[in-house]
Each structure stands twice: as C-alpha cells, then as structure tokens.
Amino acid sequence: MVNHRIAVIPGDGIGPEVVNEAIKVLELIKKLDPSFKIEFDTFDWSSEYYLKHGKMMPENALQTLKKFDAILFGAIGDKRVPDDVTIWELIMPIRKQFKQYINFRPVKLLKGVSCRFTGEDIDFVIVRENAEGEYSNSGGRLYQGHEQEIAVQNSIITRSGTKKAARFAFEYAKKHGKETVTSATKSNAIIHSMKLWDEAVLEVGQEFLAINLKSYYIDALAAYFVSRPEDFEVVVASNLFGDILSDLGSAVVGGLGLSPSANLNPEGEFPSMFEPVHGSAPDIAGKGIANPIAQIWSAALMLEHLGRKDLASVILESIEQVLVKKEVQTPDLGGSSTTIEMGSAIRGVLQQLLLVKEGR
Ligand code: ATP
C-alpha cells in the first residue's frame, strides 16, 4: 500500500543534482520506517525539454500532476531559454492552477552554521502571497521600440487573496505559540493596492486578538531583517515583497544553499509543491558541489505537509548534526565537500536517528 505518491520535477542546472540527494533521503526513510510508504514518478520537464519540444511541459501536464499527493521540485532556469518562458510556462501554471496561494519559507539559523549571526536565535517564517500581487500577467506594452514606449504592469491585490494569506499567517502563529505577525507594506507610497493590503490584514488580525499585528514599510523591514532578525516570528508579505524578503532572509541565515520553501494549497484540493529558494545556479551546475540541504529540507517540509512532522523533525536534526560536526561542508559553507558527500553524511546521521526512533 502506497500512502504518498510524489511527482518529482528535477528541472535544470543543479536541480537534478540536489533532488537526487533528497530522493535518497526519502528512500532511506522508506527502508527503515515501516509506517512510511512513498513512491515517485519523475518528469523531465525542463529547459532541455523545451529545446526538444518547444514547450516546458506537455499540454496535459497539470492533469497528470493533479493525481499526486505532492510535487518535489528542483530548480528551473537555463541561459538558452528566456527566464520568462521557464517561469511562466512551468512554475507559474503549477502555482496558479493548483491554487498554491501560499509560499511558505522558514528562516531559521541552523545549529552549526557560521555566519555573522552565529549563536543568535533566528527562527521565523515568511508567508508570501503566491498567486497575485505584483506577479500578474496583466498589463502590456505600447509603441514597442519607440521613444514614446509605454509599459504597464498591473499589481493585483484583492481583499480575498490578501485575507487568505493573512489568515494562514495568523493561524500558523496561533498554532505555533507565536506572539506577533509582521506585515510588509508600502501603503505610504503605493496608496491603492497596499492600502487594501493593510486593511485586509488588519481585518483578519481582529479575529486573532491574542496575536499582535505589526506593520512595517518594506524598506524599513528589509533593514530590520539585517539589524535585528531575531525579533521576527511570522512575516506576511505580498508576492514581490515576500520574494525579496525570502532571499534576504536566507542570506541572513547562511545562504541560498540552506533555504527551503513550500508552495501550499492549504485546503489540499490540489497538490502542493516543495522546492528550494535557490535557482538552477548555472555557475556551479555540473560540478557536483551544490549544497543539497535546501532541497532535503524542502522534502522535509513536504513530509510535514503530508502529516509526518515526526520525520521532518528527524531530517532537520540530521542536517543540524552534520553542520555542527563541520566534517562535511560544501563550498558555500566554506568547505570542499561534494553534493553527494553532504547527502551521504546527512543520511548517515538520519539512519542512526531512525534506528533509535524505531527502538532498534
Ligand atoms: P534564479 O533566477 O533562478 O534565482 P540565479 O542564478 O539568479 O537563478 P541562484 O540559482 O539561486 O540564482 O544562484 C544564486 C547564487 O547562489 C549563485 O552564485 C549560486 O551558485 C549560489 N547557489 C544557489 N544555490 C546553491 C546551492 N544549493 N549550493 C551552493 N550555492 C548555491
């Protein structure tokens, strides 16, 4: 009996390299934990696929994916294909059609990571509105190539979309005993859409009176991420602001190689998708030196979403133990270990922890 069916899209660049390590982790758990049954179907939808077929994925791709419990995604991006094609023909259709309206990104300083904040207790999450906002394809260009050329890019903020993101943030805060939700805004300058954002977030906040709502302008908030990141618990942001804050957050806690994310359809009507914050990293692709932790942690988020928080915690514990020992470190962490060596070190600890967990 299979209880989890996973669609795997390794994608481009370092995507397949790090996805391989995440799959090996999940296979190990499958081997050692009799209560965990998982099966994978891998899809080669990528820039390479585009160059062969003229599209990023087949016509019926979403129908195919719909049958799965979750999607494990690597990364997409290749200099031979324009970025707007890779994004708008692969990632965006999945996020939008599957109503993955929350992008969830933990910003946690793991034990053993050396960075300027070493020893600080940085542990918060970013809840990014993932379906609308500044990333809409509404707009257009007039008089292309002429001096009077005009480009209009509409930012779509809806009361209902904003409230759904805010509700997710407040519910997360309530469930995890957090005291404050921080909203990223810019309603002093973006006076229509961001004012609606503020009103909608406040409206939801009033349903959660035990939780404080703080609202900061995005520029100040970016500075606070760097000057006092330990103060945050749950940050809710629009699509663009959340995107920028997540990369900033990951830089604060040690870099892109360590940062996971989840594109969630909270109602479970469609599969959710789990992917690292980083992209395909063409500069290091094919060298076997990418850090697989962001991808492995993304797989852990997937297990948590599938109801196995116990296993997600054991994976994170294994990652931290490897980081604390510092014997195996990929170049982004200051070492010279390979992707495979890092994956294997994590599995080594994981195996021990799982055997203890199973009482063997
Ligand atoms: P995208 O537009 O898809 O975000 P990008 O090249 O702008 O692509 P990334 O692919 O995220 O951004 O890479 C940014 C930098 O971080 C690169 O120098 C890359 O090598 C580094 N990097 C990204 N992911 C990892 C990783 N897993 N391990 C080590 N370094 C990484």
Side-chain angles (χ1 to χ4, degrees), residues 68-223:
F68 290 86
D69 298 315
I71 304 165
L72 186 66
F73 188 83
I76 208 86
D78 182 307
K79 64 176 179 334
R80 295 168 299 167
V81 181
D83 280 349
D84 57 333
V85 170
T86 49
I87 290 177
W88 281 97
E89 289 194 16
L90 186 69
I91 298 177
M92 289 300 190
I94 297 174
R95 284 186 184 168
K96 287 184 192 278
Q97 296 299 318
F98 287 170
K99 298 187 185 162
Q100 295 169 347
Y101 62 85
I102 296 296
N103 189 288
F104 176 81
R105 299 185 166 187
V107 179
K108 179 176 165 64
L109 182 54
L110 297 176
K111 286 180 210 146
V113 172
S114 312
C115 70
R116 74 185 60 181
F117 296 104
T118 301
E120 295 282 350
D121 186 17
I122 302 172
D123 187 2
F124 64 95
V125 299
I126 299 175
V127 175
R128 163 184 164 195
E129 198 294 318
N130 207 28
E132 48 183 52
E134 304 86 346
Y135 293 178
S136 86
N137 57 0
S138 158
R141 286 170 70 169
L142 280 179
Y143 315 121
Q144 282 201 33
H146 295 276
E147 262 324 289
Q148 69 269 45
E149 184 165 358
I150 301 169
V152 177
Q153 179 80 47
N154 291 311
S155 165
I156 313 278
I157 298 280
T158 67
R159 186 176 286 277
S160 62
T162 307
K163 282 174 71 176
K164 282 201 291 185
R167 181 159 286 111
F168 185 94
F170 278 99
E171 271 167 6
Y172 180 91
K174 186 174 168 193
K175 191 166 166 206
H176 294 85
K178 309 287 182 192
E179 289 175 3
T180 305
V181 168
T182 302
S183 166
T185 183
K186 192 64 191 174
S187 48
N188 56 343
I190 307 175
I191 55 174
H192 304 300
S193 56
M194 276 293 140
K195 277 203 170 150
L196 173 55
W197 171 273
D198 288 355
E199 284 170 25
V201 173
L202 182 63
E203 204 182 315
V204 175
Q206 282 162 349
E207 294 169 29
F208 295 83
L209 291 175
I211 296 166
N212 301 316
L213 168 62
K214 286 191 182 160
S215 195
Y216 291 117
Y217 295 135
I218 183 68
D219 39 351
L221 184 55

Side-chain angles (χ1 to χ4, degrees), residues 25-26 29 33 36 108 296-320 350 353-354 357:
V25 163
L26 296 170
I29 300 176
D33 182 337
F36 180 68
K108 179 176 165 64
I296 294 172
W297 192 352
S298 302
L301 290 181
M302 181 176 82
L303 296 191
E304 190 168 344
H305 176 75
L306 295 171
R308 294 303 303 262
K309 188 172 177 12
D310 58 328
L311 296 174
S313 306
V314 185
I315 295 177
L316 201 57
E317 168 71 26
S318 311
I319 292 172
E320 285 196 307
L350 180 63
L353 294 178
L354 284 173
K357 183 169 176 282

Side-chain angles (χ1 to χ4, degrees), residues 220-328:
L221 184 55
Y224 295 149
F225 260 42
V226 177
S227 60
R228 48 182 178 85
E230 66 285 356
D231 284 0
F232 296 103
E233 293 180 309
V234 179
V235 177
V236 61
S238 63
N239 212 333
L240 170 67
F241 290 174
D243 193 11
I244 297 170
L245 287 175
S246 324
D247 272 34
L248 180 56
S250 83
V252 165
V253 293
L256 285 168
L258 299 170
S259 300
S261 84
N263 300 283
L264 300 173
N265 170 244
E267 292 78 17
E269 186 188 358
F270 296 101
S272 293
M273 178 163 71
F274 300 82
E275 57 172 324
V277 171
H278 65 71
S280 59
D283 53 336
I284 55 166
K287 296 185 180 160
I289 54 166
N291 188 342
I293 289 179
Q295 186 78 55
I296 294 172
W297 192 352
S298 302
L301 290 181
M302 181 176 82
L303 296 191
E304 190 168 344
H305 176 75
L306 295 171
R308 294 303 303 262
K309 188 172 177 12
D310 58 328
L311 296 174
S313 306
V314 185
I315 295 177
L316 201 57
E317 168 71 26
S318 311
I319 292 172
E320 285 196 307
Q321 285 200 23
V322 170
L323 289 169
V324 167
K325 275 193 214 137
K326 294 193 193 299
E327 282 164 9
V328 178

